[in-house]
Amino acid sequence: MTERKRTPWVVGVSGASGTPYAAAVLRGLLAAGESVDLVVSRASRLTLLDETGIAFRDAHWREDLGEWLERGADGKPATFARPELGDVRYWAAGDLAAGPSSGSYPVKGMLIVPASTACVAGVALGLSKDLLQRVASVTLKERRRLVAVVRETPLNGQTLKHLVALDEAGAVVLPASPAFYAGATHIQDLVDFVAGRVLDAAGVPHRLYRRWEGELGGSRPRG
């Protein structure tokens, strides 16, 4: 019997605020049975520490990732069951010889969530200053799906130009902009809406939010 070829999604986490978005996307990918290659930038470790209290360590990444994915968007631990991490690979941000740095490494595409303006600029300009930016550049040159979940407001003209450049290069520019028609009652619902839209852009099935069905008031409770 031929062993199934592993073809993961690369998830890049940059330094913008919004680590709950990344956690929700990762949980959604794993729940859908997808393989994941994870790249956590140096700047994002500071954000993760500030937003969750978790110090993400290269040598203990599996333990730290499991703790992170258990937390809800409100920071409460043990909100979610710890997912199985057997098909997750972690690559250090400074490892420019990592598998995903080459176009010959098979991946389905890349999801940058959240994407800081510095990350957006680096990808748009092709700087490849770390592994996250390098993988994004490879994703574009190989014509694979790249979703950039920009998380910043307001946006200045230079960043808008960079976002247009990404769009023209074939990326999906997906602002972390939650909607309210799905009947959100908790911060986690808003986070899951954005995560669901990211998975929609990647073509990954999920049940993270209630979809619009053309009925006004459809998100409100009956009775």
Side-chain angles (χ1 to χ4, degrees):
M1 181 180 294
T2 303
E3 184 178 354
R4 180 178 67 90
K5 186 176 183 180
R6 183 179 184 274
T7 309
W9 284 97
V10 179
V11 176
V13 186
S14 80
S17 176
T19 56
Y21 291 124
V25 167
L26 286 165
R27 285 192 297 265
L29 288 170
L30 295 174
E34 297 287 343
S35 303
V36 172
D37 277 22
L38 178 64
V39 181
V40 179
S41 76
R42 290 189 176 93
S44 69
R45 295 175 189 231
L46 297 176
T47 308
L48 183 62
L49 180 62
D50 185 53
E51 294 183 346
T52 69
I54 297 171
F56 197 92
R57 303 160 293 176
D58 285 346
H60 303 280
W61 69 266
R62 194 176 296 274
E63 174 186 344
D64 297 335
L65 176 61
E67 182 182 356
W68 178 20
L69 297 187
E70 287 180 341
R71 289 183 182 260
D74 56 5
K76 292 182 180 178
T79 299
F80 297 95
R82 182 170 299 204
E84 172 58 47
L85 302 178
D87 206 8
V88 178
R89 289 182 183 173
Y90 170 72
W91 303 96
D95 184 6
L96 292 178
S101 68
S102 171
S104 65
Y105 183 88
V107 302
K108 292 183 178 179
M110 183 180 191
L111 314 174
I112 307 176
V113 51
S116 67
T117 55
C119 173
V120 166
V123 176
L125 297 174
L127 299 182
S128 296
K129 73 178 185 65
D130 62 6
L131 181 61
L132 194 157
Q133 291 184 14
R134 169 60 185 169
V135 177
S137 295
V138 169
T139 302
L140 290 176
K141 82 178 182 68
E142 296 294 328
R143 301 297 191 265
R144 296 167 179 158
R145 179 59 55 95
L146 174 66
V147 181
V149 186
V150 60
R151 216 304 307 157
E152 187 59 85
T153 190
L155 298 172
N156 63 29
Q158 198 60 48
T159 297
L160 291 170
K161 292 176 182 177
H162 292 151
L163 292 174
V164 169
L166 288 184
D167 176 77
E168 291 176 342
V172 176
V173 176
L174 197 155
S177 179
F180 294 84
Y181 61 76
T185 59
H186 188 274
I187 185 175
Q188 188 67 55
D189 298 325
L190 300 176
V191 168
D192 284 347
F193 179 88
V194 172
R197 296 297 287 150
V198 175
L199 296 178
D200 287 345
V204 175
H206 67 88
R207 299 182 66 182
L208 286 176
Y209 68 88
R210 182 184 303 175
R211 297 184 182 277
W212 175 252
E213 295 180 349
E215 180 184 356
L216 292 176
S219 65
R220 293 195 293 270
R222 300 297 183 183

